[in-house]
Amino acid sequence: MDSQNPEQMRATLSKLEDIRNSQESIIDKINHVITDLFENPDKELEKAMNAAHQKASDNVDEVREAMENYEMKINKIENQG
C-alpha cells in the first residue's frame, strides 16, 4: 500500500470521507424517525432505531479512525518523497 501514489491515496481518502458523511446522514435520518416516535410511539421500532443509531455511530468512529491512520500514511509518504 505504501508504494501507492499519494494523489491516488488522497482520492481514496476522499471516498472515505464520503462514506463518513453518508453514515452521519443516516444518523440524522434515524434521529428524525426517533423524534417522530415521540408522537406515535412504537417500542419495537424505537428499539430497532436505537440499535441502528448505535451501529451507524460505531461506523462513523471506525471510518474516522481509518481516515486518520490512512492520512498519516499519506503524509509519511509525501514527507519521504
Side-chain angles (χ1 to χ4, degrees):
M1 191 66 85
D2 289 346
S3 64
Q4 281 190 340
N5 178 325
E7 287 180 25
Q8 292 171 333
M9 294 175 78
R10 292 248 177 239
T12 298
L13 187 62
S14 178
K15 291 174 186 171
L16 290 169
E17 186 173 0
D18 286 344
I19 292 168
R20 187 195 67 214
N21 290 341
S22 295
Q23 287 296 307
E24 289 174 346
S25 177
I26 288 170
I27 291 169
D28 287 342
K29 291 174 183 179
I30 291 169
N31 284 336
H32 287 291
V33 171
I34 291 171
T35 301
D36 290 346
L37 289 172
F38 287 128
E39 292 182 21
N40 300 303
D42 184 311
K43 293 285 183 192
E44 289 179 29
L45 184 55
E46 183 179 351
K47 183 177 177 181
M49 290 299 95
N50 285 330
H53 187 281
Q54 184 60 53
K55 289 174 186 174
S57 294
D58 291 345
N59 286 343
V60 168
D61 293 340
E62 198 69 35
V63 172
R64 182 178 294 124
E65 185 177 333
M67 287 175 65
E68 290 170 0
N69 292 335
Y70 200 62
E71 190 163 22
M72 285 191 283
K73 284 183 182 182
I74 296 169
N75 291 338
K76 184 177 179 181
I77 291 169
E78 288 176 338
N79 291 333
Q80 289 176 350

